[in-house]
């Protein structure tokens, strides 16, 4: 039987290539609204972050999301990331 290809994405904080399921996607919609995309299928420019606290804190400290999505990201998005991470690990 043929092996299925595992989609890989790059974490914008650590620059590591990981399977898509191990990352969380953040999306800037065409209207400019930034949201956490748990489905991985929302329209807009996406950025992937490793699903761990250290990556979230480093991203907030260096403001990586604002640079990558080309729009100011509010601190509430980072709080939402941490909550989504906790829900995903259970």
């Amino acid at each position: 039987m043929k092996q299925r290809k595992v989609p890989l994405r790059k974490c914008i904080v650590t620059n590591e290539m990981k399977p898509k399921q191990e990352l969380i996607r953040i999306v800037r919609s065409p209207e400019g609204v930034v949201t956490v995309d748990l489905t991985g299928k929302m329209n807009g420019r996406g950025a992937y972050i490793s699903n761990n606290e250290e990556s979230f804190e480093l991203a907030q400290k260096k403001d990586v999301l604002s640079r990558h999505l080309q729009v100011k990201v509010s601190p509430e998005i980072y709080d939402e990331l941490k909550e989504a991470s906790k829900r995903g690990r259970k």
Side-chain angles (χ1 to χ4, degrees):
M1 196 163 175
K2 193 174 181 181
Q3 283 286 73
R4 293 190 73 186
K5 183 180 163 192
V6 177
L8 296 176
R9 299 293 183 264
K10 189 179 217 180
C11 172
I12 62 170
V13 178
T14 62
N15 288 325
E16 293 177 314
M17 294 293 285
K18 293 186 176 183
K20 194 174 175 181
Q21 289 79 24
E22 294 179 17
L23 303 168
I24 293 182
R25 184 171 187 244
I26 298 88
V27 178
R28 183 197 72 211
S29 68
E31 294 81 32
V33 179
V34 177
T35 55
V36 176
D37 179 13
L38 297 176
T39 63
K41 297 180 180 182
M42 290 177 68
N43 281 344
R45 181 172 180 85
Y48 290 89
I49 295 184
S50 296
N51 192 0
N52 58 45
E53 287 284 328
E54 296 84 29
S55 293
F56 301 151
E57 290 171 9
L58 193 57
Q60 188 170 14
K61 181 180 165 188
K62 292 185 175 181
D63 204 22
V64 176
L65 280 176
S66 293
R67 248 183 297 134
H68 193 273
L69 297 176
Q70 300 167 348
V71 68
K72 181 67 179 151
V73 176
S74 67
E76 289 82 30
I77 294 296
Y78 293 102
D79 296 335
E80 194 176 330
L81 268 173
K82 290 175 186 173
E83 287 300 316
S85 174
K86 288 176 187 170
R87 283 194 305 257
R89 289 187 196 149
K90 289 182 180 178

